Amino acid sequence: MTLTNAVTSAASQVGDFLTFATQDESGLLSLLNDILGPLPQPGHPSKLERRAEHVEMLPVIRGWQAQDKAAPATEEQIRQFFTPEELATLSKETGLSETATMSMVQELLPRCVRRRALHEPFACRIQRP
C-alpha cells in the first residue's frame, strides 16, 4: 500500500467514526433492498434467490432465511454475491469508506435476507397502546 493510499484509508476511517456513519443503517438497507429486488412470493423465485443460485450461494441464503440471529456474512461471501460495481455504488451512495461499507454489509445482509423471508419490515415496529 502506498503512503497516499494509507493516508486516504486512515482519513476515511476517521471520517466514518467521527460522523457516526457506521451507526446509520437506513440508507444502506434501502440500497440493499433495491439490489435484492422485490420481496419473494410463494412459489416464485425472487431476484435474491436467482442471484444466490447463480453464484452457488443458495444454501447460504436459505440458512440466513431460517436463522433469527445468523452470523455475519464473510467478506468472501459478500464479494461473491455482489459485483464490484454494486459494492462501489453502496459505498458511494452511503458516503462510507469501502472498509466501512464492507463491514456493514457483512452484518446487515443476513439480517435483511431473514426479514425479507418473513415479509417483515426491517425497522422496529412501534408499539402503540
Side-chain angles (χ1 to χ4, degrees):
M1 178 180 278
T2 66
L3 179 59
T4 303
N5 287 344
V7 170
T8 301
S9 177
S12 293
Q13 289 174 7
V14 168
D16 290 340
F17 175 77
L18 290 175
T19 62
F20 297 104
T22 57
Q23 303 300 314
D24 182 12
E25 300 174 343
S26 61
L28 184 54
L29 280 170
S30 294
L31 292 168
L32 280 176
N33 277 307
D34 285 346
I35 291 171
L36 300 179
L39 289 176
Q41 300 299 316
H44 294 77
S46 67
K47 183 178 177 182
L48 165 68
E49 292 167 324
R50 287 192 307 270
R51 175 187 286 254
E53 190 171 38
H54 179 72
V55 295
E56 299 178 358
M57 284 185 61
L58 198 52
V60 173
I61 298 301
R62 293 285 185 243
W64 291 340
Q65 289 172 331
Q67 296 177 46
D68 192 35
K69 296 187 188 255
T74 64
E75 184 172 338
E76 179 182 339
Q77 289 170 328
I78 298 301
R79 292 197 185 281
Q80 185 177 357
F81 194 72
F82 294 103
T83 66
E85 293 79 20
E86 288 170 332
L87 291 172
T89 297
L90 291 172
S91 182
K92 179 182 175 191
E93 293 294 320
T94 59
L96 294 168
S97 67
E98 290 179 19
T99 303
T101 300
M102 177 59 72
S103 178
M104 287 184 71
V105 171
Q106 286 177 269
E107 289 289 329
L108 293 178
L109 183 61
R111 292 171 29 205
C112 186
V113 168
R114 169 72 171 164
R115 299 241 183 216
R116 292 167 59 86
L118 298 174
H119 294 269
E120 293 181 0
F122 201 89
C124 295
R125 293 184 182 142
I126 297 173
Q127 298 293 328
R128 297 185 188 228

